Amino acid sequence: MSCRVILIAPAITPSLRRARFDDGDSIEHPEAVALDLPVAGRAVVSPSVRCRETAAALGLDVSAELALSGLDAGRWRGRTLEEVGAAEPEALVQWLSDPGAAPHGGESVREFRARVVEWLDLTGRTTGRTVAVVEPEVVRAVVLHALGAPEAAFWRVDVPPLAATELTGGSGRWNLRLGQVGG
């Protein structure tokens, strides 16, 4: 049996709706969260409030994985892109265009991607199915890795709330399935 990893983006939150760096807010309408997920041997979650609440709304019994934490936005946490752009336009442009930059004092896209890929590669050494409710940027990093895409493409991948992304294979070779998750 090969390894399967199903990534689920969190349900909508006020922060996601306003393009705000996560500030720990709760998901909207948890009673409306529904996906038909296959049984998993392991279920994990990014440790954020929105991912934990999404997992709970989906009825998943999960353990938090620190490696799946969202990108550390440093002093920009809780601010919108518009606010950051108005206060620090050069820093925002640098961050969005240079994967190695971290003008906010947090984590660069390059550092973040390396952390997520390490988790994926470790998971890829196992067999069975893992369901992970993760931040949208975790999905971006995994998609780039699976496709061998450059870091500069990080901001070109849109991940809507409750999007499911499935990977099959293992360390060194992943196949990507977009759309409905397999049974």
Side-chain angles (χ1 to χ4, degrees):
M1 178 184 224
S2 69
C3 179
R4 288 184 181 268
V5 178
I6 300 169
L7 304 173
I8 307 296
I12 193 71
T13 66
S15 289
L16 286 172
R17 194 177 296 288
R18 294 194 59 218
R20 178 185 302 280
F21 292 98
D22 183 31
D23 59 359
D25 56 354
S26 291
I27 63 173
E28 298 175 356
H29 311 292
E31 70 284 354
V33 173
L35 289 173
D36 187 20
L37 295 173
V39 175
R42 184 170 96 125
V44 297
V45 66
S46 293
S48 69
V49 170
R50 64 186 175 198
C51 288
R52 286 182 287 130
E53 288 180 352
T54 299
L58 291 169
L60 296 172
D61 182 20
V62 296
S63 60
E65 289 274 344
L66 288 178
L68 297 176
S69 297
L71 193 147
D72 178 1
R75 70 177 181 279
W76 293 350
R77 180 180 167 92
R79 296 169 69 189
T80 65
L81 279 175
E82 184 178 343
E83 290 167 346
V84 171
E88 302 179 56
E90 297 85 15
L92 182 60
V93 168
Q94 179 191 25
W95 185 61
L96 292 173
S97 62
D98 177 1
H104 45 58
E107 190 173 31
S108 72
V109 168
R110 181 170 295 137
E111 293 166 332
F112 172 74
R113 182 178 177 189
R115 171 169 53 87
V116 170
V117 166
E118 182 178 347
W119 174 85
L120 182 64
D121 286 344
L122 287 172
T123 300
R125 295 183 189 139
T126 65
T127 58
R129 185 177 288 127
T130 298
V131 171
V133 179
V134 297
E135 298 295 339
E137 61 267 28
V138 170
V139 177
R140 284 187 190 110
V142 167
V143 167
L144 294 185
H145 180 66
L147 296 176
E151 293 169 336
F154 185 79
W155 299 112
R156 307 302 296 167
V157 178
D158 288 333
V159 183
L162 297 176
T165 304
E166 184 174 4
L167 295 106
T168 58
S171 298
R173 185 175 188 283
W174 290 100
N175 294 320
L176 186 63
R177 178 188 285 180
L178 303 174
Q180 271 188 319
V181 292

